Amino acid sequence: HTPDIVKYLYELANDRGIVEVGAGNGQWARAINDFHNLQRKQTNSSGKSFDLVLAFDNMQELPLSPKIYHQRTVPAKQYFYDKVKLASHIDAVTGFASRGRVLMLVYPSPGSMALETVKAYIESSDQNDTVVYVGEGKEGANADEEFFNYFLGKSSDDSKKAEWILLKVMEVKRSPGGK
C-alpha cells in the first residue's frame, strides 16, 4: 500500500467501515486503522470509537507464518494487525457486524474464493454495495477469470446480475525486488 491508497480507503469508508476478507496477518487493516486512529486524534473526534477495518482470514495460507513472526518480532509489532479474526470467507461477510461495510479483498488466492465472497457479500444485505479489489488483473496471480468476468458483466451466472461502476484505479507499491 501507499499513503495515498490508505488515505483514499479511509475517505471511502470512514462513515461505514471496511470488512477485509483473506486479510492474512492484517498489514492493510493495520495501516488503515492506524490512519483512522491518527485522524481521530488530530480532529479530537468525540464520536464513538470503532475499528474502521474488521479483518478476517481462515489462517490456511498465511504468507508470513506466525510461528516465525510471533508477537515479539519486529514485523509483528510494526505491521501485523492483532485483531484479525478466524473465519471463513462466507462467514466473514454474512455476519451482522459486516453489514453495510465496504468489502476489501487484498491479493486473494487464485480460485473461486474471491467471487464466492463478493456474491455472499451482496446477497447478505442491500447495504453491501462497494468492493475494493487489490491484486493482479485478469490472468494474473489473484482470483480467477470468473471473478473478473463477473465485474465485466460477462458472468455465466445470470441468477443475480449486478452492475458495477469502477470508481478508481491506483498503483500499489511494489515489494522490494519487484516481486
Side-chain angles (χ1 to χ4, degrees):
H1 50 76
T2 66
D4 287 342
I5 292 172
V6 170
K7 182 179 180 200
Y8 176 77
L9 293 173
Y10 164 78
E11 290 169 352
L12 176 70
N14 185 37
D15 62 339
R16 59 192 284 197
I18 295 171
V19 57
E20 181 183 6
V21 176
N25 291 306
Q27 292 95 320
W28 282 68
R30 169 81 181 264
I32 297 165
N33 272 319
D34 285 355
F35 185 83
H36 169 70
N37 291 333
L38 180 65
Q39 296 306 306
R40 287 184 53 78
K41 284 180 186 173
Q42 289 178 346
T43 60
N44 292 324
S45 178
S46 59
K48 185 178 178 190
S49 177
F50 75 108
D51 291 323
L52 185 65
V53 182
L54 298 180
F56 296 92
D57 199 286
N58 66 8
M59 308 297 178
Q60 300 296 310
E61 299 179 34
L62 293 180
L64 300 173
S65 171
K67 292 177 183 172
I68 297 170
Y69 296 97
H70 53 77
Q71 296 291 348
R72 293 189 271 300
T73 62
V74 172
K77 287 180 183 178
Q78 292 182 357
Y79 304 108
F80 295 176
Y81 189 55
D82 61 359
K83 296 181 181 180
V84 176
K85 296 176 177 71
L86 177 64
S88 74
H89 57 291
I90 302 299
D91 290 342
V93 295
T94 57
F96 182 78
S98 298
R99 185 169 294 155
R101 289 178 176 260
V102 171
L103 171 61
M104 184 168 74
L105 299 164
V106 179
Y107 301 111
S109 299
S112 62
M113 183 278 283
L115 183 56
E116 291 170 1
T117 303
V118 169
K119 287 181 176 182
Y121 168 77
I122 62 169
E123 289 172 8
S124 68
S125 173
D126 290 340
Q127 299 171 346
N128 294 350
D129 60 5
T130 306
V131 176
V132 171
Y133 169 78
V134 179
E136 293 186 19
K138 196 170 184 177
E139 298 180 11
N142 305 112
D144 62 10
E145 189 171 350
E146 278 299 306
F147 174 80
F148 294 100
N149 287 342
Y150 175 77
F151 284 102
L152 293 171
K154 299 177 183 178
S155 177
S156 59
D157 179 14
D158 290 333
S159 62
K160 190 170 184 181
K161 278 232 182 212
E163 291 186 16
W164 294 95
I165 299 169
L166 178 64
L167 297 177
K168 192 164 188 103
V169 175
M170 300 178 80
E171 281 294 317
V172 178
K173 184 171 126 181
R174 291 183 177 261
S175 60
K179 296 181 179 182

